[in-house]
Amino acid sequence: VRAASEPFVEECDVIVLGTGAAGLTAAISAHEHGAEVAVFEKSDQLGGTSAWSGGMLWIPDNPHMRAAGIPDSTAEALEYLDSLSLGMIDGELARVLIETGPEMVSFLEERTPVQFRLVPRFPDYHPEHPGGKPGGGRSLECPLYPFDELGEWASRVTVGTQLTGRLSMSETPLGRGAPDGVPRAELERRAVRDERGAGLALVGRLLRACLDRGIEPRTSMRATELVVVDGAVRGVRFDATEGAVGARGGVVLATGGFEWDDALVRSFVRGPLTHPVSVPTNTGDGLRMAMRVGVALGNMREAWWLPVVDIADRAGQPMRWQVNGERARPHSIMVNRQGRRFVNEAANYNALGAAFHEIDVTTFEYANLPCWIVVDEQFVRKFGFVGYRGEGAPPSWLTRAESIEALSEQLGIPPRALRDTVERFSAMATDGADVDFGRGRSAHDTWWGDPALTGRIDATLGPVDTAPFYAIEVHPGALGTKGGPRTDVNGQVLDVDGVPLPGLYAAGNVMASVMGMTYGGAGGTLAPAMVFGYLGGRHAARAAARVVMAT
Ligand SMILES: Cc1cc2nc3c(=O)[nH]c(=O)nc-3n(C[C@H](O)[C@H](O)[C@H](O)COP(=O)(O)OP(=O)(O)OC[C@H]3O[C@@H](n4cnc5c(N)ncnc54)[C@H](O)[C@@H]3O)c2cc1C
């Protein structure tokens, strides 16, 4: 931390670091509240993990629910989060999140090209908890966005590998799109104006809103240090340039999590996180910058957990795949090295983190790592396993065997144990009740299961009894970490004594998440990211106005 003894090379009202949904929303909000804004991005591409995402936002009591007549309230949403809190959720921040969500949606819809609609019927992730919504309504998405609206900026938005296409989430099997998918003619029509869905639609719209305000994000600008003047954060240094850039109102950290920094992960996170799926530039720069100026940290143990498998893309390049629908569909189980099931496989991906981190106190090993997903021929024929439908040789990343015993030997699992597990599960599946782990009791499980059987137990339970059998190791991954600087209700970062540190804000995965260890529903990470971006941008703009008036 250096005081600015030399003048800033450039000055504005509000600096935003990072161009994911948190950063872009903060920039728009600051500008709408009167600030001159500068946005900097470490990568040579824009949009962060937000652009790779499904682009869904979990906003209880949102305006689109109200229009559709779906009842909800702040009290219900708070009761729901409280039921999942385990003492980790700050009630005041949760209230602000829930109360501000609908306001943020209306603000963006009224003032920018960012528009939302319901992802119909998508249930919350723990819908049977008090205040939960088994029939959905809280998850929103943006309609497709024509990228030709972005001109030369279109090619500067990062494109992920898992969700790259021209589909909205509500058109995918998970979002309950038409069983035959989107017709080819419609996809060809979408190609004309480069219409894109999911996270690309969200980021494309947010970026357009920035460009409309004259805010042109600067790429390949890695922020490295905050400049503190008289106890307030007043600027930023970058590794690519000499001299610091000043901000009269403040700096919004929106630099994502620290999941790609092994040392930080090992220091803080509660258990193995070997497979992040976010943009690799999320290496905890914002966390380090904040630690250097003496902030309070919170929620450091947690990440948005995710089971991940290593596969290869069509070109044979290694690729990580979020193994979600596969776990929930019938004819599949997950087993540990003892050959035993250890979890409701269809539970939401974030909750599975707890099962990955369980320790066997006798052997002092992670009880459920390594683990595998095992499916049978029925599964592969019905659903395909990441595109493989049982025709020809399986891909190199997928183990196949003619019997459960042969599969166990290839995996190094006791054959008898795996056979017993498979037989027990198959009998329970045939009876329609997983008495061991309760798979299928929740509306969540059957939603993520076979789309053709939603709401029925056989959407998720089906015997694993038809050779050949297939398996792949499942790794403890994450969408991103969710610990970092603690903030107040304005998104202002707190110092180690819990007092707001003038001039510093945080939003998104860089900040101590309001959600504690939970994931409320589809959109549970982007919603708080954008709400706290909105709040922080607004507060920083007002702070800048006060500085200008005082000088
Ligand atoms: C396939 C997939 C699907 C998902 N679907 C959903 C979904 O539907 N709903 C949901 O809520 N969540 C979803 N997620 C998770 C969600 O994408 C992330 O939690 C969210 O995007 C985080 O937003 P952010 O703005 O905090 O970070 P990011 O979007 O990752 O942006 C951070 C940016 O900061 C930049 N940066 C880092 N360090 C610096 C520095 N020193 N200086 C300047 N810039 C820096 C990074 O390069 C990056 O561009 C999904 C994730 C994936 C991978």
Side-chain angles (χ1 to χ4, degrees):
V1 182
R2 268 177 257 157
S5 50
E6 75 272 48
F8 292 120
V9 291
E10 172 186 339
E11 209 167 359
C12 63
D13 291 329
V14 176
I15 291 177
V16 175
L17 302 176
T19 57
L24 295 178
T25 306
I28 296 163
S29 174
H31 187 276
E32 283 291 302
H33 292 94
E36 185 195 336
V37 181
V39 177
F40 298 94
E41 166 58 51
K42 171 180 175 177
S43 164
D44 59 358
Q45 295 226 287
L46 300 169
T49 318
S50 306
W52 293 6
S53 77
M56 292 185 281
L57 269 69
W58 187 76
I59 308 272
D61 202 20
N62 65 65
H64 296 273
M65 290 179 89
R66 289 179 205 154
I70 303 170
D72 200 3
S73 65
T74 300
E76 274 180 273
L78 287 174
E79 186 185 18
Y80 174 65
L81 288 182
D82 190 50
S83 78
L84 300 165
S85 169
L86 296 173
M88 297 285 286
I89 293 181
D90 174 325
E92 198 192 0
L93 284 187
R95 173 172 291 280
V96 166
L97 169 69
I98 302 299
E99 285 177 349
T100 314
E103 176 189 322
M104 193 251 336
V105 165
S106 299
F107 162 82
L108 287 173
E109 292 191 323
E110 280 159 22
R111 305 287 308 155
T112 77
V114 180
Q115 305 297 310
F116 294 104
R117 63 181 182 205
L118 293 176
V119 185
R121 304 187 309 284
F122 207 125
D124 284 349
Y125 284 177
H126 303 269
E128 288 76 23
H129 274 242
K133 293 280 170 211
R138 290 171 170 164
S139 297
L140 299 174
E141 67 174 356
C142 291
L144 296 170
Y145 186 64
F147 262 47
D148 67 356
E149 299 271 337
L150 293 172
E152 63 181 16
W153 289 87
S155 61
R156 300 182 64 183
V157 177
T158 181
V159 177
T161 44
Q162 189 147 356
L163 295 165
T164 53
R166 304 203 180 282
L167 300 184
S168 296
M169 287 306 291
S170 54
E171 293 171 327
T172 64
L174 177 61
R176 295 298 178 270
D180 298 335
V182 175
R184 178 182 287 264
E186 170 59 13
L187 291 175
E188 282 167 6
R189 189 200 63 72
R190 293 177 185 186
V192 176
R193 294 196 57 202
D194 197 6
E195 292 179 41
R196 305 197 199 172
L200 288 166
L202 174 66
V203 166
R205 289 168 182 274
L206 287 167
L207 178 58
R208 186 64 259 168
C210 286
L211 299 173
D212 290 344
R213 285 161 181 76
I215 306 167
E216 297 197 346
R218 283 177 259 178
T219 50
S220 303
M221 291 288 285
R222 178 186 195 179
T224 51
E225 193 178 8
L226 298 168
V227 178
V228 178
V229 181
D230 297 334
V233 173
R234 285 288 171 256
V236 178
R237 289 179 198 281
F238 299 89
D239 67 354
T241 52
E242 290 292 317
V245 178
R248 288 175 284 267
V251 174
V252 183
L253 297 172
T255 49
F258 57 88
E259 57 276 3
W260 284 97
D261 185 294
D262 290 343
L264 289 174
V265 166
R266 212 155 67 108
S267 297
F268 290 117
V269 172
R270 71 177 191 201
L273 191 182
T274 57
H275 282 60
V277 296
S278 58
V279 287
T281 39
N282 288 354
T283 56
D285 293 346
L287 174 61
R288 289 182 202 275
M289 283 188 275
M291 287 198 296
R292 275 189 215 112
V293 298
V295 306
L297 301 178
N299 213 39
M300 295 304 290
R301 311 181 309 160
E302 290 302 327
W304 307 104
W305 302 111
L306 186 74
V308 173
V309 293
D310 282 322
I311 61 165
D313 66 14
R314 286 205 183 116
Q317 292 305 309
M319 175 182 163
R320 288 177 180 174
W321 182 263
Q322 307 185 20
V323 64
N324 288 329
E326 292 83 359
R327 291 178 288 111
R329 291 179 176 174
H331 318 295
S332 73
I333 54 170
M334 281 171 67
V335 295
N336 60 20
R337 72 162 85 80
Q338 309 295 337
R340 306 210 190 289
R341 289 179 72 214
F342 56 93
V343 75
N344 166 10
E345 296 89 345
N348 89 73
Y349 42 87
N350 178 67
L352 247 70
F356 290 142
H357 296 154
E358 190 183 325
I359 289 178
D360 180 324
V361 297
T362 308
T363 61
F364 219 73
E365 292 168 325
Y366 286 106
N368 303 318
L369 294 175
C371 63
W372 295 263
I373 181 168
V374 175
V375 303
D376 75 355
E377 181 70 3
Q378 300 174 83
F379 182 104
V380 166
R381 296 270 171 201
K382 244 190 234 171
F383 310 114
F385 195 96
V386 198
Y388 175 66
R389 292 194 162 267
E391 276 133 30
S396 58
W397 42 264
L398 192 60
T399 303
R400 177 169 71 183
E402 289 307 317
S403 69
I404 285 292
E405 287 76 6
L407 191 73
S408 331
E409 265 154 37
Q410 289 192 53
L411 302 179
I413 292 176
R416 201 188 161 126
L418 186 60
R419 201 187 58 218
D420 290 351
T421 297
V422 164
E423 283 175 4
R424 180 173 172 80
F425 176 79
S426 298
M428 290 191 298
T430 306
D431 289 349
D434 173 16
V435 295
D436 291 347
F437 294 100
R439 174 167 163 185
R441 274 190 215 142
S442 170
H444 169 277
D445 303 357
T446 60
W447 180 272
W448 286 75
D450 183 346
L453 304 174
T454 307
R456 291 170 40 165
I457 192 74
D458 53 353
T460 185
L461 290 186
V464 180
D465 60 2
T466 307
F469 301 95
Y470 303 83
I472 183 169
E473 185 175 348
V474 179
H475 301 277
L479 300 169
T481 51
K482 63 196 304 204
R486 289 180 53 213
T487 59
D488 68 5
V489 294
N490 298 310
Q492 203 169 356
V493 171
L494 303 177
D495 72 12
V496 280
D497 297 312
V499 178
L501 182 60
L504 189 60
Y505 301 82
N509 290 350
V510 71
M511 113 182 207
S513 175
V514 180
M515 292 295 193
M517 61 174 75
T518 64
Y519 202 128
T525 86
L526 285 167
M530 292 174 65
V531 167
F532 279 88
Y534 168 71
L535 289 168
R538 181 172 74 186
H539 197 270
R542 290 179 179 159
R546 282 197 296 278
V547 170
V548 171
M549 277 173 66
T551 49

